Amino acid sequence: MSYSSPPSLDAVLFDRDGTLVVDVPYNGDRDQVRLMPGAATVVRALRSAGIAVGIVTNQSGIGRGLITREQADAVNARVAELVGGVDAMVLCPHVPEDGCECRKPAPGMIREACRRLGTVPGRAALIGDIGADMEAASTAGVRAVMVPTLITRPQEIAAAPLCAGSLTEAVRLLLPDLGLEEASEAAAVGGVS
């Protein structure tokens, strides 16, 4: 029996809060958006290499009445602006009790992002910071890499298929030939990296 390498990637999806940007709970203020180290560098490198980039984000603050859809859209637009653009932005406005198919750990947003990007789950990957991201990726059939933060629980880290210490490392695990240098992680978190 011969083994072949997995198919190359057409798309990399990112969780938003805690992965691409510093998590500000229920953020409805675009001026509070701060990129995680390396975020702009990795997104720009992916897009320059012809790999589509999407963001999939749970935004239950909408369902809770804490922020409006317009505020969430403004924050998403700011994130896209700071990273140099994204090809798909998919959000879930529901609270967990709604039992929707889009809210992570359900796979709906990932499948929708793949559809919008013109790819299939087998040619996509997700980078996230918590177990719900990894579970959604597994259910949707996309590869996944966790970049843990201070809020990531040890059992989530232990269960992740792959873990990385930075966004750059996560992308390098998925696409080693992209040529990303770890030096990009030294950039400031205050808006651009």
Side-chain angles (χ1 to χ4, degrees):
M1 177 181 218
S2 69
Y3 293 95
S4 60
S5 62
S8 62
L9 294 176
D10 293 333
V12 175
L13 309 176
F14 292 89
D15 168 60
R16 190 188 85 182
D17 302 321
T19 302
L20 279 182
V21 300
V22 175
D23 188 11
V24 175
Y26 309 118
N27 184 17
D29 181 357
R30 60 181 277 120
D31 292 334
Q32 290 190 41
V33 174
R34 298 291 177 262
L35 293 180
M36 295 295 272
T41 301
V42 299
V43 169
R44 288 180 177 131
L46 289 166
R47 294 185 81 220
S48 291
I51 297 166
V53 172
I55 296 175
V56 290
T57 180
N58 289 345
Q59 293 300 317
S60 68
I62 298 168
R64 297 176 200 279
L66 300 172
I67 62 172
T68 65
R69 175 65 189 244
E70 291 74 22
Q71 287 173 309
D73 288 344
V75 168
N76 286 338
R78 179 65 176 152
V79 174
E81 176 187 334
L82 290 175
V83 297
V86 298
D87 303 298
M89 179 77 69
V90 183
L91 75 76
C92 170
H94 305 109
V95 295
E97 299 78 32
D98 288 342
C100 66
E101 288 298 315
C102 49
R103 181 179 172 79
K104 294 176 286 178
M109 282 193 293
I110 294 172
R111 290 178 178 153
E112 175 62 16
C114 287
R115 186 192 66 74
R116 289 185 192 180
L117 296 171
T119 192
V120 295
R123 295 182 63 84
L126 173 74
I127 299 173
D129 67 319
I130 61 173
D133 298 322
M134 301 299 101
E135 186 177 335
S138 176
T139 304
V142 303
R143 287 173 263 178
V145 180
M146 177 181 279
V147 181
T149 65
L150 294 176
I151 67 160
T152 311
R153 296 190 306 254
Q155 61 269 32
E156 294 175 320
I157 296 169
L162 288 172
C163 274
S166 67
L167 285 171
T168 300
E169 183 184 345
V171 172
R172 285 193 344 229
L173 285 171
L174 294 167
L175 295 157
D177 296 332
L178 198 60
L180 279 174
E181 297 297 324
E182 196 66 36
S184 65
E185 295 305 315
V189 177
V192 291
S193 65

